[in-house]
Amino acid sequence: MVKSALSVLLVLVAISSTFAAKYIPKSGKRVPQTLSRGWGDQLIWAQTYEEGLYWSRSKNKPLLVIFHLEDCPHSQALKKVISEDNEVQKILDEDFIVLNLVYETTDKHLSPDGQYVPRLLFVDPSMTVRADITGRYANRMYAYEPSDIKLLVGNMQKAKKLLKSEL
Amino acid sequence: MVKSALSVLLVLVAISSTFAAKYIPKSGKRVPQTLSRGWGDQLIWAQTYEEGLYWSRSKNKPLLVIFHLEDCPHSQALKKVISEDNEVQKILDEDFIVLNLVYETTDKHLSPDGQYVPRLLFVDPSMTVRADITGRYANRMYAYEPSDIKLLVGNMQKAKKLLKSEL
């Protein structure tokens, strides 16, 4: 009897110390933020533009920068299509460095025709922003709609043809 | 019999379409990267220095920037202590904007005595890097060891006394 009471006590101590080990905010437990922000959990995301440029140069792969906002319905719609398209995910994983940003950088080359979301810019490993690779819309040249996914795949192929081929 | 075969088929189709929906890299499934990188899954992390400065100014809270590397044992040891200390997590969550970086920024103010990890810098909401808030080591003034956690908490209190109090 004493033994079983003791083991119950031990279990209780173990449980309470497990619970004590985790900080929980007053407003309730949060889901940890991911670097992917839903654009492809299996891709390896750069955290910052500097990091993206570094990987782009060292791996000699173009960088895709996705500017978006989490509460923007156009961003959400494009995100759904891109994250669920296995062909796009495979190309991005194997042939690109990827970065998604919800804040603008200080680099004006990343906003050739203004700051808006969603906005997708390709950057060559030579660190040249490929302002020549555009979407379908004259007033927002780097915006894509979910129906533009084939155009986007074509643009990814364009971006893979590097400006300077190092031999 | 036909009915049960049909339902088995339906289940198989459902399973295979579920599997087909997810891209899996050749090298195998990856654990999605978190913005916390293990420094506190319940905290809200800024992604970039620009974003951290923005939140610091708009919420009038100091920013803590943690430079670290995932394969550095000193970073790992400090991360374990910081992420498991509920008092530290609570103060960081409620009174600070937090950012952890594995790449250096272009801002030299964030490396007053060089680039090394782990390195913890406080930034006032006035966007002034608090180079006056230092750890215990003369040669690496912004480094902390796991045993320095009380000093770090004291420094967090210092950082909370803002340089300019806006009334």
Side-chain angles (χ1 to χ4, degrees), chain A residues 7 29 35 45 54 71 77 86 94 100 105 113 120 149 163:
Chain A
S7 51
K29 205 175 171 187
L35 261 179
W45 293 88
Y54 172 82
D71 53 2
N86 281 3
E94 296 179 356
N100 76 80
T105 69
D113 65 347
L120 277 63
I149 193 86
L163 295 183

Side-chain angles (χ1 to χ4, degrees), chain B residues 4 19 23 27 48 53-54 66 72-73 85 91 93 99 105 111 148 152:
Chain B
S4 74
F19 279 106
Y23 165 73
S27 52
T48 63
L53 289 175
Y54 173 83
I66 302 172
C72 156
D85 187 314
I91 302 172
D93 186 28
L99 169 69
T105 69
S111 46
D148 300 333
L152 179 62

Side-chain angles (χ1 to χ4, degrees), chain A residues 65-83:
Chain A
V65 186
I66 302 173
F67 289 93
H68 67 110
L69 284 173
E70 300 204 85
D71 53 2
C72 155
H74 298 281
S75 299
Q76 288 165 353
L78 186 64
K79 172 157 65 175
K80 188 173 157 60
V81 170
I82 286 182
S83 65

Side-chain angles (χ1 to χ4, degrees), chain A residues 22-83:
Chain A
K22 293 266 174 191
Y23 166 72
I24 299 199
K26 274 183 197 163
S27 52
K29 205 175 171 187
R30 303 189 185 115
V31 177
Q33 303 153 276
T34 59
L35 261 179
S36 78
R37 286 203 169 90
W39 290 86
D41 275 349
Q42 290 297 307
L43 306 186
I44 296 171
W45 293 88
Q47 181 178 355
T48 62
Y49 187 44
E50 290 90 342
E51 184 179 343
L53 290 176
Y54 172 82
W55 285 117
S56 174
R57 288 185 69 168
S58 47
K59 298 195 178 250
N60 205 35
K61 291 178 178 181
L63 167 67
L64 171 60
V65 186
I66 302 173
F67 289 93
H68 67 110
L69 284 173
E70 300 204 85
D71 53 2
C72 155
H74 298 281
S75 299
Q76 288 165 353
L78 186 64
K79 172 157 65 175
K80 188 173 157 60
V81 170
I82 286 182
S83 65

